[in-house]
Amino acid sequence: MKPIYIDYLNALDIEALAMTDAEIIGAVEAGLVAQGNGRTVIEPRVHLEPDPSFHGHFNVLRGYVAPLDAAGVKIVGDYVDNYMHGLPSEFGILNLFDPRTGTPRAILDATVITDMRTGAVTAIGARHLAKRSSKVLGHIGARGTAYWNVRLLDHLFDFDEIRVHSRRPESRDGFAAKLSADLGKKVIAVADWKSCVDGADIVVEASRLNEPQPLLKTEWIKPGALVVPYGTMSAVELSLTDIMSKIVVDDWGQCKGGKFGSLRAHVETGRLSETTLHAELGQIAAGRKAGRESDDETILFWHRGLSLSDIALGKAMLAKAGETGIGQRLRFA
């Protein structure tokens, strides 16, 4: 057997790549288009919850993207109390394989990949589903994915006003300060949910709740807005889907089952079903279904996170690493 090597990108390597906003969005959209054209395999995610008292769990995401000639598995831990230990709430590892032989190809730190690709899916969803004239963003949550939500959304919309909120003042104030510095515009930290989202053109809910709690009120949603809730535990009222002209998800197979998810109760009560679902985002990205068709439409986009987005972004990072000489090669066999 000839020697087998694995490409390895750690967190420092990925930082050195300095992926641009456009590179991140482009890579993730290519994966969504492949999904919309039926050229992917997405297995429903599975969870490992070691002990409920740890306030965390592991997600295992698996997928295959034919145009990229890659299969992948990502394992990501999601622990809400990690801030107490000075750690990010999520750590992840992405493994890429040759889909024809199963040969390992690459190992990447997937912590920032998770953050980037989540923000990219939020932004791509907004590009297809939000009003082009959207100028006010209200964002709940300040975890890693939140930064990339705001950064990539602002890359597309150049907002006049960005409001952010999270439950801890030091978290929301620090988040707003970092965004203000990086985006070169004022980002406002607000002390409550209503002040953050009331009347915003785009509302993103990425809260960190230990149990479901309807903190995002339906009455605060502006007609014509785009609402993107994706907290692990639901923070929205059951009535939220009642005001929507369209409901879009990233993958219905993942959204229709499982323990976690922002709209889990809406699926269980029949408010969200194959009948009420408008489309998957990949179908819209591939031009197979319509996105927003009128400024009057109020639209909800729920994404749970796709393995194919991790794979697509990971492949793009490996390509850039090869061009720039960043990363390491490890002997496997």
Side-chain angles (χ1 to χ4, degrees), residues 76-109:
V76 57
D78 188 352
Y79 283 74
V80 300
D81 294 336
N82 272 8
Y83 70 92
M84 298 179 184
H85 310 289
L87 297 170
S89 60
E90 295 174 321
F91 283 104
I93 293 177
L94 173 64
N95 299 280
L96 297 179
F97 302 88
D98 183 322
R100 290 169 177 77
T101 66
T103 305
R105 284 180 172 172
I107 300 172
L108 299 87
D109 173 86

Side-chain angles (χ1 to χ4, degrees), residues 272-296:
L272 175 56
S273 66
E274 291 184 74
T275 301
T276 62
L277 180 68
H278 170 67
E280 294 178 338
L281 180 59
Q283 295 172 318
I284 296 172
R288 295 180 176 272
K289 289 199 174 180
R292 175 175 288 270
E293 297 175 277
S294 164
D295 281 356
D296 296 331

Side-chain angles (χ1 to χ4, degrees), residues 23-38:
E23 286 172 336
I24 295 166
I25 291 172
V28 173
E29 185 146 39
L32 289 168
V33 170
Q35 178 199 16
N37 287 327

Side-chain angles (χ1 to χ4, degrees), residues 13-310:
D13 296 327
I14 290 175
E15 183 179 4
L17 287 176
M19 298 290 288
T20 67
D21 295 349
E23 286 172 336
I24 295 166
I25 291 172
V28 173
E29 185 146 39
L32 289 168
V33 170
Q35 178 199 16
N37 287 327
R39 302 199 65 201
T40 62
V41 176
I42 306 169
E43 293 290 340
R45 68 172 59 197
V46 294
H47 305 285
L48 170 65
E49 192 172 10
D51 187 314
S53 69
F54 297 164
H55 296 157
H57 64 280
F58 293 94
N59 300 309
V60 182
L61 292 78
R62 306 156 291 164
Y64 164 60
V65 185
L68 300 179
D69 190 35
V73 177
K74 186 183 77 170
I75 302 172
V76 57
D78 188 352
Y79 283 74
V80 300
D81 294 336
N82 272 8
Y83 70 92
M84 298 179 184
H85 310 289
L87 297 170
S89 60
E90 295 174 321
F91 283 104
I93 293 177
L94 173 64
N95 299 280
L96 297 179
F97 302 88
D98 183 322
R100 290 169 177 77
T101 66
T103 305
R105 284 180 172 172
I107 300 172
L108 299 87
D109 173 86
T111 307
V112 74
I113 287 177
T114 299
D115 294 345
M116 288 176 172
R117 66 86 153 130
T118 302
V121 172
T122 300
I124 293 163
R127 181 160 65 189
H128 291 286
L129 301 172
K131 292 185 296 186
R132 294 187 180 183
S133 60
S134 296
K135 287 301 176 185
V136 179
L137 170 65
H139 193 291
I140 300 291
R143 52 176 159 158
T145 58
Y147 172 84
W148 288 98
N149 283 336
V150 177
R151 173 169 162 170
L152 296 179
L153 281 167
D154 190 62
H155 173 73
L156 296 180
F157 289 90
D158 189 19
F159 296 109
D160 291 338
E161 183 177 340
I162 299 174
R163 315 171 195 153
V164 298
H165 171 74
S166 66
R167 58 181 174 173
R168 293 182 294 119
E170 65 273 20
S171 175
R172 61 178 178 257
D173 291 343
F175 184 46
K178 177 173 175 53
L179 284 169
S180 295
D182 291 356
L183 300 180
K185 62 175 62 177
K186 184 177 181 180
V187 175
I188 305 165
V190 298
D192 61 274
W193 285 60
K194 186 176 189 296
S195 299
C196 185
V197 306
D198 193 11
D201 297 306
I202 298 175
V203 174
V204 182
E205 180 276 303
S207 60
R208 308 287 294 165
L209 303 180
N210 289 324
E211 59 185 17
Q213 189 177 358
L215 297 174
L216 178 61
K217 305 300 182 183
T218 305
E219 66 185 30
W220 299 338
I221 303 304
K222 175 182 178 179
L226 170 67
V227 182
V228 187
Y230 72 84
T232 302
M233 296 294 179
S234 178
V236 303
E237 294 185 308
L238 277 174
S239 58
L240 182 66
T241 52
D242 297 342
I243 67 168
M244 296 300 162
S245 309
K246 289 174 179 168
I247 302 175
V248 176
V249 301
D250 55 355
D251 178 67
W252 176 240
Q254 289 195 103
C255 291
K256 69 181 179 182
K259 177 180 178 180
F260 302 108
S262 184
L263 297 190
R264 180 61 49 226
H266 298 77
V267 174
E268 292 172 352
T269 57
R271 288 172 171 81
L272 175 56
S273 66
E274 291 184 74
T275 301
T276 62
L277 180 68
H278 170 67
E280 294 178 338
L281 180 59
Q283 295 172 318
I284 296 172
R288 295 180 176 272
K289 289 199 174 180
R292 175 175 288 270
E293 297 175 277
S294 164
D295 281 356
D296 296 331
E297 291 181 308
T298 307
I299 299 177
L300 185 145
F301 172 44
W302 177 29
H303 61 95
R304 301 213 58 215
L306 297 178
S307 57
L308 64 89
S309 298
D310 298 302

